[in-house]
Amino acid sequence: MTDPTPLNPAIPDPRLDSMFPTLNPAQVARIAAHGRVRPIQEGEVLFEPGDQGVPFFLLRAGEVVIVRPTGTSETLVTTLGAGQFTGEVNMLSGRRTLVRARVTAPGEVIELDHEHILALVQTDSELGEIVMRAFILRRVELIAHGFGDVVLVGSSHSLGTLRIKEFLTRNGHPYTYIDLDRDDRVQDLLDRFHVEITDLPVLICRGEAVLRNPDNEQIADCLGFNDAIDPAHARDLVIVGAGPSGLAAAVFGASEGLDVLVLEVDSPGGQAGSSSKIENYLGFPMGISGQELAARAYTQAQKFGAQVMIAKGARRLTCDRRPYTLEVDPEQRIPARTVILATGARYRKLPLADLSRFEGAGIYYGATHIEAQLCGGNEVIVVGGGNSAGQAAVFLAQTARRVHMLIRSAGLAETMSRYLIRRIEESPAIVLRTHTTITDLEGNDRLERVRWRNDQSGAHETHDIGHVFVMTGADPSTDWLNGCVALDAGGFIKTGPDLSPDDLAAASWPLARAPHLLETSLPGVFAVGDVRAGNVKRVASAVGEGSIAVSFVHRVLNE
Ligand SMILES: Cc1cc2nc3c(=O)[nH]c(=O)nc-3n(C[C@H](O)[C@H](O)[C@H](O)COP(=O)(O)OP(=O)(O)OC[C@H]3O[C@@H](n4cnc5c(N)ncnc54)[C@H](O)[C@@H]3O)c2cc1C
């Protein structure tokens, strides 16, 4: 039985025309040139939920319903007629489909496989725009209705639940969430799948597998995120990291015809993905959330044919022979003619239970004009005793009522430049608090209060301060590179002109030419974004470096 509650109810919605457009005869003819025409019979199922490598179908005649099977019945998603087509963003990634397509009136379809639909969206700008917009809107709608193949049972107070929610959301995967604390369906579900409350969070994957507090890799495996990717095949370019710099390299590399694979240990977006609003990225005068920017870039990279392996980190680079190989697990080594290292850096975090709750909502890792405006004339805290903390304190003192500088040591002399120390001493708005550590963060939607302790006296103080700048440095994600490329004293990757003759001699640089801009001490291996020594920690610069590196990748491939 089909529940007649479609996504396209009788009330007109302007988005429906974009979500389920009807192509005109000239557009249909252009698509026909890329595919094969075949008849369809009533009752025929074109694809089922869970099917992989599903083709794109454009109806020339007949009718197809898109439904979501639920037990013995079906929920109608939409009805497609002549000139309309199937598919959503998983058609670009090759991931499993989430719905069933069943023919309800015989007719004819034009069928395009994955390669041909990619070629179409890349080469025909008018059709590319119509198809891409429809695919994206359909995925958004599936997410909004929770029309996925995943049920998450957990509690909003559990970190594991929050992590899984974030992983599914950042990967654009629809899911149904059942909250232990609020939903009385929980017990039924737990009984049905023989799960104890202590096993939560639990992910019921594709109605079959029950994963108890799974890690991200287990979720990706169960949902088949990476099934369409052949890891054995040698790539022109393997990019490690899908933050802004890695995704930019993927977009440029794939759009310029390179065979590109991106490895991402977590979800696309990197640090930028955790920013609630990026306001200094060119072209977004109203700002854009990091997640939205990342989602767009991820889809854009896939549109050009780049493949992205999710929840699979590079654990080792084999650099003594070419092609290089990247080990993602002991049985999987990916050969690469060139490599871009875009693994970013992790800002050192304060060891506080509620920190992640307030990140972007009172906890900041950079002090720019934007954060300064957010703080207005209020009191702020800067944590850290290095130059970045000193610069932040001096900068914020121009607008904030008071800047409390919290350091664990007895003074700044050992960690900060003399000129900054003098400015701090001369600024009446800055109060230096030595031997001081934050112990608690409090607030509801955003940070409202901070409690700190003087480590010498043991005295605690609580202050109504809603802005804390954590400037305790960042650790580059380079520990897995096992000496393959030259690093600076902080562990960041040295590139191009920053590589000294000694660095090159130590690395046995084998070529007559000097390393290209952004090239490491290993020929054909580049480093971009926050992981690179001397980088500017900004989304725009990360994107710029990722794009520039690709032009040097071409040169290396032609060498
Ligand atoms: C909360 C916050 C807010 C910010 N706000 C702004 C802002 O408003 N404006 C601005 O310009 N900048 C902002 N920044 C800085 C900006 O986000 C970074 O400069 C930018 O994300 C750097 O991009 P990246 O690609 O070099 O590295 P990252 O964003 O760090 O991405 C690196 C990626 O590599 C992955 N990775 C790491 N190791 C491996 C491995 N071994 N194998 C596979 N994958 C791996 C990581 O999971 C990550 O996804 C902000 C940063 C934070 C943390």
Side-chain angles (χ1 to χ4, degrees):
M1 201 187 101
T2 302
D3 170 358
T5 324
L7 282 182
N8 49 354
I11 307 159
D13 178 345
R15 280 181 323 151
L16 284 176
D17 287 342
S18 301
M19 207 186 304
F20 301 110
T22 302
L23 303 183
N24 64 37
Q27 292 166 335
V28 172
R30 292 219 296 282
I31 292 188
H34 288 261
R36 80 179 174 105
V37 178
R38 71 166 178 91
I40 48 170
Q41 310 303 331
E42 187 173 347
E44 181 182 343
V45 173
L46 298 178
F47 49 83
E48 282 283 8
D51 283 357
Q52 247 181 328
V54 166
F56 168 93
F57 296 101
L58 168 63
L59 267 82
R60 286 235 290 217
E63 187 186 81
V64 168
V65 286
I66 304 295
V67 294
R68 184 174 167 254
T70 38
T72 51
S73 66
E74 292 175 334
T75 304
L76 181 66
V77 176
T78 194
T79 303
L80 302 175
Q84 294 187 302
F85 54 85
T86 61
E88 51 107 8
V89 283
N90 65 350
M91 195 148 276
L92 306 177
S93 60
R95 284 191 198 164
R96 292 191 178 111
T97 180
L98 300 171
V99 290
R100 172 185 294 159
R102 188 159 42 75
V103 179
T104 42
E108 202 171 63
V109 287
I110 302 165
E111 192 177 312
L112 271 71
D113 63 17
H114 178 246
E115 211 174 296
H116 285 92
I117 189 66
L118 276 189
L120 179 82
V121 296
Q122 287 166 20
T123 53
D124 188 319
S125 63
E126 187 202 16
L127 283 170
E129 194 179 322
I130 295 170
V131 170
M132 286 298 292
R133 193 186 303 126
F135 280 4
I136 292 167
L137 288 173
R138 290 174 188 181
R139 173 56 60 140
V140 169
E141 204 62 22
L142 289 173
I143 292 172
H145 284 75
F147 275 8
D149 45 3
V150 167
V151 178
L152 172 64
V153 188
S155 158
S156 304
H157 306 295
S158 128
L159 266 183
T161 306
L162 295 180
R163 172 184 54 79
I164 296 173
K165 276 181 158 185
E166 187 179 315
F167 181 72
L168 294 170
T169 304
R170 283 177 69 165
N171 282 292
H173 199 89
Y175 64 95
T176 305
Y177 175 57
I178 299 183
D179 195 321
L180 167 71
D181 309 318
R182 293 197 211 141
D183 205 313
D184 44 23
R185 286 174 297 168
V186 171
Q187 199 53 55
D188 276 359
L189 209 70
L190 298 184
D191 292 346
R192 181 139 58 94
F193 288 96
H194 311 291
V195 175
E196 301 291 326
I197 277 216
T198 48
D199 292 330
L200 297 184
V202 158
L203 190 96
I204 300 163
C205 175
R206 308 174 57 222
E208 303 158 357
V210 177
L211 308 178
R212 291 161 171 83
N213 196 12
D215 63 27
N216 293 347
E217 189 172 356
Q218 288 171 300
I219 301 173
D221 287 347
C222 186
L223 294 174
F225 279 0
N226 303 317
D227 287 358
I229 298 174
D230 171 12
H233 144 78
R235 312 283 170 151
D236 295 331
L237 171 60
V238 173
I239 299 163
V240 189
S245 63
L247 288 172
V251 167
F252 277 82
S255 69
E256 291 170 13
L258 299 180
D259 179 2
V260 176
L261 176 69
V262 185
L263 302 177
E264 169 53 55
V265 71
D266 194 343
S267 319
Q271 296 167 61
S274 62
S275 168
S276 55
K277 204 171 209 185
I278 297 168
E279 301 209 40
N280 55 356
Y281 189 57
L282 189 73
F284 294 93
M286 313 302 285
I288 180 165
S289 79
Q291 210 163 300
E292 196 182 343
L293 186 67
R296 287 176 184 217
Y298 181 33
T299 307
Q300 195 175 8
Q302 290 180 324
K303 165 185 154 177
F304 288 118
Q307 292 189 307
V308 185
M309 250 190 169
I310 299 296
K312 287 276 184 201
R315 297 180 187 192
R316 222 171 111 87
L317 172 66
T318 308
C319 51
D320 54 356
R321 72 196 93 96
R322 293 176 84 166
Y324 302 119
T325 57
L326 288 136
E327 182 183 302
V328 288
D329 56 47
E331 291 88 48
Q332 252 180 26
R333 284 199 173 79
I334 296 169
R337 286 187 268 278
T338 61
V339 176
I340 293 182
L341 303 169
T343 49
R346 271 177 239 109
Y347 286 93
R348 274 180 223 137
K349 304 209 168 181
L350 300 176
L352 296 168
D354 278 336
L355 187 80
S356 59
R357 191 151 73 89
F358 297 119
E359 278 175 331
I363 296 286
Y364 313 104
Y365 296 94
T368 69
H369 286 280
I370 299 160
E371 287 90 4
Q373 277 168 9
L374 291 174
C375 304
N378 295 311
E379 294 193 35
V380 304
I381 294 172
V382 173
V383 184
N387 276 353
S388 60
Q391 282 166 6
V394 170
F395 171 68
L396 291 165
Q398 296 168 19
T399 45
R401 186 147 57 87
R402 177 158 301 157
V403 179
H404 301 268
M405 246 195 121
L406 270 49
I407 59 170
R408 280 184 307 186
S409 60
L412 297 171
E414 303 220 324
T415 49
M416 195 180 287
S417 302
R418 185 67 214 139
Y419 80 98
L420 277 171
I421 298 178
R422 220 171 31 238
R423 283 197 204 158
I424 288 168
E425 287 166 352
E426 284 167 5
S427 170
I430 303 177
V431 185
L432 179 66
R433 297 183 181 278
T434 56
H435 301 292
T436 305
T437 314
I438 294 184
T439 55
D440 296 284
L441 302 171
E442 290 169 18
N444 290 310
D445 293 343
R446 50 173 307 111
L447 182 65
E448 289 164 20
R449 265 176 314 284
V450 177
R451 195 168 151 78
W452 68 61
R453 182 188 60 222
N454 183 297
D455 297 325
Q456 278 191 320
S457 67
H460 279 92
E461 289 180 36
T462 303
H463 291 258
D464 289 339
I465 296 179
H467 306 281
V468 175
F469 292 82
V470 182
M471 313 298 288
T472 47
D475 294 317
S477 306
T478 49
D479 43 358
W480 60 280
L481 285 167
N482 53 292
C484 279
V485 297
L487 306 177
D488 73 3
F492 291 87
I493 303 172
K494 289 173 103 174
T495 55
D498 289 344
L499 287 160
S500 66
D502 286 349
D503 289 327
L504 295 179
S508 309
W509 176 260
L511 305 177
R513 67 162 175 83
H516 293 300
L517 190 72
L518 305 175
E519 194 171 22
T520 67
S521 58
L522 190 62
V525 176
F526 297 81
V528 295
D530 278 18
V531 77
R532 196 180 64 76
N535 74 84
V536 181
K537 292 180 175 52
R538 290 285 178 274
V539 174
S541 55
V543 167
E545 290 184 14
S547 326
I548 295 168
V550 170
S551 63
F552 296 108
V553 163
H554 286 294
R555 286 198 207 170
V556 170
L557 289 172
N558 290 328
E559 259 170 8

